[in-house]
Amino acid sequence: MGLGLLLFIGGLVIIAGLFVWSRQRQALGFIPTADQMSSIDFPVANGDDAVLVSREHGQLVFVNENARKWLNMNGGDPSLEYIAAMAQPKDSFLELFAGQGQASFQLGNRWVEASSHNIPTGSETRTVVVMREIAGNTNHPGSLDLTLAMNVINEIGETINASMGLQQVYQALLTIVMKAIPASAGEICIWDANTKHVSPLGWVGESTYVINLQEAGGDYKLGEGISGWIAQHRKAALIANVTDVTAIQPKLPNFYKSYVGVPLLLGDRFIGTLELANKQANTFSQPQLAMLQAVSKQVAISIYNTELYGEQAQRINDMATIGALTNLDETSADSRTTYLALNSRIAKILDAGVAGVLIYDENRRA
């Protein structure tokens, strides 16, 4: 009697477990197997591609073997957040899951081009992302020219010297980039954390634009114009035609018809923006955007190193002037004049409201 009851209870537990599993499996919906994935017709897929499949809300339901190798997964199941953390720029990768499109970005140590496709599966739509490693000799019209990108990066490294001074560095960087991406104008804007503005400190193009910009305030507030939009969202911008009602609008209309721009980032630090503009519409597309993204880190590093060098040089100069002031004490009859000059200089260097040099009096012990 006891054995029969135990078998009955065991059977109920198994049935309940199967019921819970079937409900969970039904909630996930259609999950393609590797064989089913290979039967789906992707225009750009081949055996060397990495393939990801996600649900509408970003939950990954399939990662093929190539993708697992790229991500160094040893049997685990990567999440979308884990993969996005490996992608640079991150937004280019995530936007593939927001809608059908194409993008180029760096995934770990690989440069990849990717396309996303919406595949109806019953009551839901799956997003299938196909990623292909970019070879240096690729001829695909929408691809990043990796060889050209590396040439630009190498030229920046060979040409830019931190001792050149910031203004020379801005102009040199724009000249190098615009050789690879022909444009009517180029601009480097630097972020000011105090004013929350980006200021155009590097410019190649019509001088009338700079004059009109000065009359309109001289810089870009957060969200103002294309530079301000990039600064606010920390995202790249591609405007094929400013007459498009959905396009981001420049601060000064009637100058240029198409724009491409990227944020300059070093880790979490926002340096500024790099943008190119053209008088003709539809002159920039995904390859030019991918090129700017590929070289933007080297541009940011060059600007940062030049700023750092300038700060160090100024600090050395400040220390030298302090040393010159202290030498005056040996010949000056009025030591108070020397201390006044010394305090004033120290206060200015340290941006201090009050500065003083206190001399110990052994007799008074004060």
Side-chain angles (χ1 to χ4, degrees), residues 170-194:
Y170 297 145
Q171 299 305 114
L173 288 170
L174 287 171
T175 301
I176 294 170
V177 171
M178 290 172 68
K179 284 196 297 184
I181 308 175
S184 302
E187 184 177 53
I188 291 177
C189 297
I190 301 301
W191 171 246
D192 187 327
N194 294 322

Side-chain angles (χ1 to χ4, degrees), residues 44-46 49-50 70 111-114 130-134 140:
V44 296
N46 61 42
D49 291 339
W70 288 13
W111 275 101
V112 303
E113 55 182 359
V130 180
M131 299 183 292
R132 175 175 298 171
E133 188 169 8
I134 297 175
H140 191 281

Side-chain angles (χ1 to χ4, degrees), residues 184-211:
S184 302
E187 184 177 53
I188 291 177
C189 297
I190 301 301
W191 171 246
D192 187 327
N194 294 322
T195 63
K196 305 297 182 183
H197 292 180
V198 282
S199 301
L201 301 184
W203 172 260
V204 172
E206 293 183 9
S207 58
T208 52
Y209 180 90
V210 179
I211 295 171

Side-chain angles (χ1 to χ4, degrees), residues 79-327:
S79 65
L80 197 61
E81 293 76 14
Y82 172 84
I83 302 174
M86 298 179 63
Q88 293 294 332
K90 179 179 179 180
D91 290 333
S92 295
F93 171 75
L94 292 175
E95 284 173 358
L96 292 169
F97 295 86
Q100 295 190 137
Q102 295 180 332
S104 298
F105 49 87
Q106 192 172 4
L107 187 65
N109 295 324
R110 290 178 168 85
W111 275 101
V112 303
E113 55 182 359
S115 58
S116 59
H117 314 266
N118 292 334
I119 307 296
T121 55
S123 60
E124 279 193 308
T125 298
R126 295 287 186 264
T127 298
V128 181
V129 174
V130 180
M131 299 183 292
R132 175 175 298 171
E133 188 169 8
I134 297 175
N137 60 350
T138 181
N139 293 318
H140 191 281
S143 301
L144 166 68
D145 188 334
L146 191 58
T147 301
L148 181 58
M150 292 307 299
N151 288 340
V152 172
I153 291 171
N154 289 337
E155 186 175 357
I156 290 174
E158 294 169 359
T159 305
I160 303 302
N161 188 315
S163 63
M164 293 169 58
L166 278 170
Q167 196 58 49
Q168 285 182 285
V169 166
Y170 297 145
Q171 299 305 114
L173 288 170
L174 287 171
T175 301
I176 294 170
V177 171
M178 290 172 68
K179 284 196 297 184
I181 308 175
S184 302
E187 184 177 53
I188 291 177
C189 297
I190 301 301
W191 171 246
D192 187 327
N194 294 322
T195 63
K196 305 297 182 183
H197 292 180
V198 282
S199 301
L201 301 184
W203 172 260
V204 172
E206 293 183 9
S207 58
T208 52
Y209 180 90
V210 179
I211 295 171
N212 280 266
L213 181 62
Q214 288 298 322
E215 293 174 351
D219 53 20
Y220 307 96
K221 302 174 185 177
L222 282 178
E224 184 180 36
I226 296 166
S227 303
W229 186 93
I230 296 174
Q232 182 176 38
H233 299 281
R234 306 292 201 268
K235 294 172 63 176
L238 176 61
I239 299 92
N241 194 335
V242 294
T243 60
D244 186 341
V245 293
T246 63
I248 306 168
Q249 293 301 304
K251 180 172 182 175
L252 299 182
N254 305 323
F255 272 95
Y256 303 102
K257 297 292 182 64
S258 55
Y259 293 81
V260 61
V262 294
L264 298 175
L265 300 164
L266 276 181
D268 294 331
R269 178 176 176 177
F270 177 56
I271 302 293
T273 66
L274 168 62
E275 303 130 69
L276 302 178
N278 207 298
K279 292 183 178 180
Q280 302 298 322
N282 302 309
T283 53
F284 301 120
S285 57
Q286 185 63 38
Q288 285 76 41
L289 176 59
M291 176 66 72
L292 277 190
Q293 290 173 326
V295 304
S296 63
K297 185 173 182 180
Q298 188 63 39
V299 172
I301 289 172
S302 298
I303 293 172
Y304 174 76
N305 287 341
T306 306
E307 289 178 345
L308 197 62
Y309 180 91
E311 291 172 0
Q312 293 290 347
Q314 184 61 47
R315 188 171 293 111
I316 292 171
N317 182 65
D318 291 338
M319 295 300 294
T321 58
I322 290 176
L325 288 173
T326 57
N327 290 334

Side-chain angles (χ1 to χ4, degrees), residues 3-19:
L3 179 61
L5 180 61
L6 287 175
L7 290 174
F8 176 74
I9 294 173
L12 289 178
V13 171
I14 293 173
I15 292 172
L18 289 172
F19 175 76

Side-chain angles (χ1 to χ4, degrees), residues 45-75:
N46 61 42
D48 296 326
D49 291 339
V51 180
L52 308 173
V53 182
S54 76
R55 301 183 65 189
E56 291 178 323
H57 301 295
Q59 178 188 4
L60 288 180
V61 294
F62 176 81
V63 181
N64 78 342
E65 190 60 30
N66 286 335
R68 291 180 180 275
K69 291 178 181 177
W70 288 13
L71 301 170
N72 299 318
M73 299 302 299
N74 297 317

